[in-house]
Amino acid sequence: MNKVMSNKWVIALYVLPSLLLLGGLVYIPIVLTGYYGLMSWDGIGEMTFIGLDNYSRLLQDSTFWLSARHSFLLALFSTLSLIAYLAISLILSARLKGSELLRKIYLIPMLLSSVAIAQLWIKIYDPNNGMLNSLLTFLGVENPPAWLADRSTVLIAIFIAIIWQYAGFYIIIYSAALKGIPYSLIEAARIDGATPFQIAYKIKIPLITGVIKVTIILAIVGSLKYFDLIYVMTGGGPNGASEVIASYMYKEAFGRYNFGYGSAIGFALLVLALLTTWLIQKLTASKDELQY
Amino acid sequence: MLGKKSFFLIMLLGLMVVFAACGREDENTNQTSNDVENESVSQDEKVINFMHLWPEGSSRQHHMIVQEIVDEFENDHPGVTVEMEILGNEQYKEKLSVIGASNELPDVGMTWGGGFLDPYVSGNMFANLNDLVTDDFIPGTTDAYTVDDVVYSLPLELNITPVYYNKAIFDQYQLEVPETWDDFKAVVQTLVDHGVTPITLGNRDAWTGSMWYMYLADRIGGPSVLTDAINRDGSFEDPALIQAATEIQELVEMGAFINGFNGIGNDEAKGYFINEQAAMYLMATWDLPEWTTNEDNPQEFRDSVGYFKFPTVEGGAGDIDSYVGGPGVGLFVAEDSDVKEEAKAFVSYFVERWGEMSVINAGVIPATVVDTDGIDLPQMYIDILNDLNEATNLTLYADVQMSASAADVHLNQIQAIFGGEVTPEDFAARHEEALESEE
């Protein structure tokens, strides 16, 4: 068996199908996007080579940097929200009554399509008839904010919807990781007199740091390329107040027919995502991986 | 433990199963495509691919008329079938730009006029339809689809934009239909004082707010000031256009528009009008069925909807019979269609039948002349059709007149001026920048 697996041809045989698929659907389009980024192209007519003009324009484009700022803000928020997800998972893993049911309830947003979630939140945030403002008015708040219409509240309103959307996903990941911790460890700690908080902080969390690191990367990269809720809920408005990199890229390429510039934005997004991933891996690297 | 050979054998077998399955699938698809070819050879079957944007769910009557016309066409033209692909408005727009980019347009499809056409025309993707233009079209309606004297699309609809109002709310506060801008502001003020939302506006979509700005520009500066500014014979820094923007901000400050308009989409805004939570709504005549024939809206509400022409501004150059509006969608034929002749025949057949059926069955005002004698229409339609005959000017929607990227700037600036984020002077300057960079 081992002999077979060390044969280079066999390895190639196994790797080739997915390599071709990945190459055709991911890597070649990435290279093409970089190539289109060097062109002036309306998506339909002739392409003209303009060198790095698109990229130098990108560096001076204040809309791009504003949307990049929004994307990074979203990344920050999603990362911070991981703490809440982790806390919920720790509570759920404590074998409480009904924790199974709760876990299923938290998963529901994941089963809805993004557009449905967006429509739901649009209704909640409706400035006059919406659930949220009706509640606020009922509680005696005068002139509640107009959420999606107001430049100062639109981002946070969308972030909350996004955090709600992904709660189930991360809670499931953390729950699965926490389930993998041998019960004997926890029992031993309990006999030694550790409080539930100490067990969580000193035993459970250190044992799942690997998973936590992965979720941080997932959350940050996912946020940087985030598109769907924002596109449906505000379309990047009002006047660019909720524009993120991906929605800006889409607008340039398919709304304003600047495929070349849109591709350049897409490529910049890729570079930013790669840089951030590398940075996080550097920052979170630890020499000794804990083991049971 | 398996020997090396037997392991390989098993793997090979596995692979063979996989490839065999793929192969079979290929054979199958080959066979079906052969079948189609055989059929087309034997019966000389021609297929016109037709993409339209009226799904059964959201545009039921439109959808039914299209289906009827297609059925009739297929009956009259043996050997030609029409295959339809139907998408909702926004999805349609996006799909068209995506398949346009990969040069896979349907034989016949729908397009908008003005700047929307530009990339397709410069990419030489739409066919010349000059020989299909007849006298039946209302003069000027094909202009929006004409580039360098070539008509690239035949319009199906024509819309003007009146201000709809709720008579019940107006009666309750003894309000008269305003004819001048000062009257209009007095109406707004009265409604605000009584805690009623005067105007509903879905400015998340921004073209809605653009129509308010366009009307003010027309009433203050006359019918050509905005169009001139867009096609660079004039400038957005024209005092009339600056004043129009100032008036918008004044209205916003009065509280004329619904709370949170910049976050509300047009459909939601319309909902406020239908729920009688707002007294006025500026929208094109494509919404006429909502106030007349749509059974989903309560009869009591439909009876209470009236409309008035956008009021004139004292001392302004515009008159009350000038409208914001224009043709909506039109039909194009793809330049590299395999069945171009049949596709053209279909388009002209479609336009003719559409003109006869659309106003009665779907309440759409077609771009061809409608003979109102002897047809049974709700009174509001008759009035609008008469107004249309008296119209002195029709200004095409600003975002349609502009190129895609200037339109994007315009729409963002409309949100900004309504939101009070820019001064009227900056508003004009941004437009100038965007339009100048394209020259």
Side-chain angles (χ1 to χ4, degrees), chain A residues 1-5 7 10 13-14 41-45 119 122-123 126-130 133 144-146 148-151 231-235 237-240 243 250-252 254-259, chain B residues 1-4 7-8 11 15 90 93-94 96-98 100-102 115-116 118-120 122-125 204 258-264 268 272 275 277 404-406 408-409 412-413 415-416 421-422:
Chain A
M1 190 80 181
N2 279 337
K3 235 177 176 178
V4 175
M5 295 309 283
N7 183 329
V10 181
L13 197 71
Y14 277 96
W41 184 35
D42 65 4
I44 293 169
Q119 292 295 344
I122 287 175
K123 299 285 181 295
D126 187 294
N128 307 292
N129 298 339
N133 276 5
L148 298 178
D150 194 328
R151 289 185 75 81
Y231 181 69
V232 181
M233 285 174 75
T234 62
N239 187 22
E243 202 83 85
Y250 183 85
K251 242 185 209 170
E252 279 292 337
F254 294 100
R256 304 172 72 162
Y257 298 107
N258 292 330
F259 266 74
Chain B
M1 192 75 185
L2 285 164
K4 196 174 174 180
F7 176 78
F8 244 112
M11 287 322 295
L15 269 179
E90 292 306 309
K93 214 175 250 183
E94 278 154 23
L96 200 68
S97 67
V98 174
S102 55
F116 186 87
D118 287 345
Y120 299 95
S122 62
N124 201 22
M125 309 191 74
R204 184 171 77 218
I258 192 160
N259 180 28
F261 49 79
N262 263 352
I264 300 177
E268 294 141 61
Y272 281 103
N275 287 335
Q277 285 181 301
S405 67
D408 197 47
V409 172
N412 273 334
Q413 284 303 310
Q415 284 189 334
E421 294 162 32
V422 290

Side-chain angles (χ1 to χ4, degrees), chain A residues 18-86:
Chain A
S18 39
L19 188 70
L20 283 179
L21 212 67
L22 204 64
L25 295 177
V26 178
Y27 293 113
I28 294 175
I30 288 178
V31 175
L32 277 179
T33 306
Y35 170 71
Y36 291 148
L38 303 173
M39 300 289 169
S40 165
W41 184 35
D42 65 4
I44 293 169
E46 291 281 301
M47 276 192 247
T48 13
F49 183 80
I50 52 166
L52 290 173
D53 281 9
N54 278 332
Y55 293 96
S56 66
R57 177 177 154 201
L58 189 77
L59 292 177
Q60 296 159 7
D61 185 347
S62 60
T63 319
F64 173 75
W65 290 112
L66 186 70
S67 53
R69 224 185 80 172
H70 295 155
S71 288
F72 277 102
L73 265 179
L74 175 60
L76 185 69
F77 264 80
S78 338
T79 318
L80 290 178
S81 68
L82 289 178
I83 298 171
Y85 300 149
L86 185 60

